[in-house]
Every structure is written in structure tokens, then in C-alpha cells.
Amino acid sequence: MTADPGNRRRGARRPLAAVFDRDPACKAHIEALLFYKGFQALECHRIAHWLWHQNRRAMARYFQTSAFRRCSGSTSIPPRRWARAS
């Protein structure tokens, strides 16, 4: 990836168009952008990868981690199990 923001936007259009073309349930490009977690995960990875190569590694890790939590609904800390009262 280059530092040109226009190039990054053009790079995101092709995968978005592919999702729209291949999924008959997708009625608008905005649906794929907002609701398709696979597409969101791919784009989050691409942004984090670009940040990593710009030597903004802490930002890349933060972005990837927060994006993972948002896309998967998961956290790194499992929920606590409460013991039953006897």
C-alpha cells in the first residue's frame, strides 16, 4: 500500500463490489460495508497492515485489537463463572 489516500479508497472499492456482486442478499454497497463482518475484518486487517508498514505499530495493534473485538463480539478476558450458592 502506498501513502496515497486515493489509492487506498480505490483499493477498497473492488472487494466491496465483489461482495455486492456475489451475494444476492446484499441490496446496496452500504449494507456490505456496515453489516458484513467478513468484509469489515478484511478491511481492518488491511488498514492495520498499512499502519504497521508506516512504523505506527502501536496504532496498528490497537486498531487490529479493537476491530477484532467489534467484528467478533469477543474479548480476550472470558466472562467470570459464579459459583452456585449451596
Side-chain angles (χ1 to χ4, degrees):
M1 284 187 163
T2 64
D4 176 26
N7 189 24
R8 282 182 296 201
R9 271 186 247 124
R10 284 189 297 275
R13 286 183 189 157
R14 288 196 339 230
L16 188 58
V19 170
F20 181 73
D21 292 341
R22 294 176 186 162
D23 189 351
C26 187
K27 301 298 181 196
H29 288 89
I30 193 75
E31 286 183 15
L33 187 65
L34 294 175
F35 304 118
Y36 284 55
K37 292 187 184 211
F39 176 77
Q40 293 170 354
L42 177 64
E43 291 305 309
C44 288
H45 169 75
R46 287 181 174 163
I47 293 168
H49 181 76
W50 179 80
L51 287 168
W52 187 268
H53 284 282
Q54 297 296 315
N55 286 327
R56 299 175 71 187
R57 295 191 171 159
M59 184 68 157
R61 285 182 180 157
Y62 174 77
F63 189 83
Q64 187 69 25
T65 302
S66 63
F68 171 75
R69 287 181 186 155
R70 186 176 52 247
C71 288
S72 69
S74 173
T75 63
S76 59
I77 303 169
R80 181 178 171 100
R81 288 184 157 179
W82 296 97
R84 287 187 159 168
S86 318

